[in-house]
Amino acid sequence: MDELGSVAPGLVSNPAAVSWQGLLLKLWNKYRVSNVPSLIFIDATTGKVVCRNGLLVIRDDPEGLEFPWGPKPFSEVVAGPLLRNNGQTLDSSALEGSHVGVYFSAHWCPPCRSLTRVLVESYQKIKEVGQKFEILFVSADRSEDSFKQYFSEMPWVAVPYADEARRSRLNRLYGIQGIPTLIVLDPKGEVITRQGRVEVLNDVECREFPWHPKPVLELTDSNAVQLNEGPCLVLFVDSEDDGESEAAKQLIQPIAEKIIAKYKAKEEEAPLLFFVAGEDDMTDSLRDYTNLPEAAPLLTILDMSARAKYVMDVEEITPEIVEAFVSDFLADKLKPEPI
């Protein structure tokens, strides 16, 4: 990552180096790589992702017996006995017909323990209003004793710690690159959101459960981590002006929805996330870190992995300006500035 991010694209003198670096960064962003080493298998014919966690595949299937390692349904991967913390076992079929949060976590991880405390409260609130919801703990603990100690705090079910193969298959299925991660599934086992952690922290009353993704997010301390997942359009506004943030969301939303729908039709992740940022300490820190002017409104695209930014500082932001800015970015027509 240091080699890829050490110089922003367009800021080196060798054109070949610029081209090569730009290609690497496109691949990095396209496949949402957040750490190295990473190995991603794709279908050479369609270009679609077959498996995001190739390193686990090689470890678990060194003979290639499961090749081509394509994704399997959640119900098939999770099949088998599950545990409750009182020692009771139940079959994974008990999850059928419910929303499921697949929770990758470990006791040794401080952010995991913090999230678990919040998640226990969220789980109980959702169950109390009669929603069919279950959480499946997939441990990344380093010993069975640690697993048992951590699991004793959880009112939901878990994959047995001894079933390392099934835990690994679930990690592979969702391409887990870090913890804590909460994947929320619909009753058919399809992914609703991979950002369950952010949703739980932003919606402590669980009013928006099951947390279908929003096209445009208001930037907060809890979701700012998503800025590291790839290029993000961030519209900075003057939040002291009542209604400014909501008006900015409404301005961006049709463009965000159009981009998301276009790539969803191709079964690909959208190449941009969309945010509106008001005025607070976190936003001030982001402006300082990226060396952005204090202007508002200020239209930007921030690419943290490339350490690059694209800035449009105009007096009035219109839908036409935003759409042209996004189109030019996706067509590689914008010149980046270094972060």
Side-chain angles (χ1 to χ4, degrees):
M1 180 59 193
D2 286 341
E3 291 182 4
L4 286 179
S6 60
V7 184
L11 301 178
V12 294
S13 57
N14 186 334
V18 173
S19 177
W20 176 243
Q21 187 183 54
L23 176 60
L24 290 177
L25 290 170
K26 280 185 183 179
L27 290 171
W28 191 280
N29 289 329
K30 179 178 177 65
Y31 297 114
R32 295 285 195 264
V33 175
S34 60
N35 56 42
V36 291
S38 288
L39 178 61
I40 298 172
F41 294 114
I42 63 172
D43 184 320
T45 303
T46 64
K48 291 186 170 70
V49 173
V50 174
C51 175
R52 291 186 175 278
N53 214 328
L55 295 176
L56 278 180
V57 167
I58 291 172
R59 188 196 72 181
D60 296 346
D61 185 26
E63 302 298 323
L65 300 178
E66 297 180 25
F67 182 83
W69 306 304
K72 297 177 181 178
F74 169 72
S75 59
E76 181 179 337
V77 176
V78 78
L82 304 176
L83 291 178
R84 292 201 179 277
N85 61 15
N86 61 3
Q88 176 189 357
T89 62
L90 65 162
D91 190 76
S92 59
S93 60
L95 301 176
E96 293 176 4
S98 297
H99 287 88
V100 177
V102 189
Y103 184 37
F104 299 86
S105 185
H107 187 265
W108 54 261
C109 162
C112 294
R113 296 197 302 272
S114 297
L115 179 61
T116 296
R117 288 192 288 271
V118 178
L119 190 54
V120 167
E121 295 181 9
S122 298
Y123 175 80
Q124 291 168 341
K125 288 175 183 175
I126 293 167
K127 300 285 275 187
E128 284 170 1
V129 297
Q131 294 271 19
K132 296 189 71 175
F133 179 51
E134 192 53 77
I135 293 177
L136 175 66
F137 172 41
V138 184
S139 174
D141 286 295
R142 293 165 177 159
S143 71
E144 184 149 12
D145 286 343
S146 293
F147 162 75
K148 288 179 179 177
Q149 179 185 354
Y150 193 29
F151 187 39
S152 69
E153 306 169 11
M154 302 177 183
W156 44 74
V157 299
V159 176
Y161 185 80
D163 196 343
E164 184 176 355
R166 189 160 34 141
R167 289 191 288 123
S168 182
R169 286 196 297 271
L170 285 162
N171 272 272
R172 284 163 44 188
L173 178 62
Y174 297 114
I176 302 303
Q177 297 189 35
I179 56 173
T181 294
L182 178 65
I183 310 284
V184 182
L185 310 179
D186 69 15
K188 295 181 180 179
E190 300 294 326
V191 173
I192 293 176
T193 179
R194 299 177 60 87
Q195 299 295 335
R197 173 189 183 185
V198 171
E199 299 294 351
V200 166
L201 294 175
N202 276 345
D203 181 28
V204 293
E205 297 302 321
C206 306
R207 293 191 178 97
E208 298 181 6
F209 176 82
W211 303 303
H212 289 280
K214 298 182 180 68
V216 183
L217 298 173
E218 187 162 350
L219 192 62
T220 65
D221 287 325
S222 57
N223 65 25
V225 66
Q226 293 178 254
L227 293 173
N228 295 313
E229 295 185 2
C232 298
L233 183 144
V234 183
L235 175 54
F236 293 86
V237 298
D238 182 0
S239 59
E240 293 180 359
D241 185 348
D242 291 342
E244 185 79 12
S245 292
E246 189 57 37
K249 285 184 193 176
Q250 295 301 319
L251 185 150
I252 294 175
Q253 183 155 324
I255 298 158
E257 289 175 340
K258 181 178 177 181
I259 294 291
I260 292 167
K262 176 182 176 181
Y263 283 85
K264 185 176 181 179
K266 298 192 290 184
E267 297 183 8
E268 295 180 8
E269 292 189 37
L272 276 173
L273 299 177
F274 295 83
F275 293 90
V276 169
E279 290 187 343
D280 54 32
D281 291 342
M282 190 276 298
T283 300
D284 289 344
S285 296
L286 178 61
R287 282 186 186 264
D288 290 342
Y289 177 74
T290 55
N291 195 27
L292 288 170
E294 293 297 323
L298 182 69
L299 183 61
T300 70
I301 291 174
L302 305 178
D303 189 345
M304 297 301 193
S305 62
R307 300 181 188 174
K309 64 187 178 186
Y310 308 81
V311 182
M312 179 166 285
D313 185 0
V314 294
E315 289 188 6
E316 182 181 3
I317 306 292
T318 66
E320 292 77 19
I321 285 175
V322 176
E323 189 153 19
F325 187 56
V326 170
S327 296
D328 286 348
F329 171 77
L330 296 178
D332 291 327
K333 293 181 180 179
L334 301 180
K335 184 178 179 180
E337 301 175 43
I339 290 178

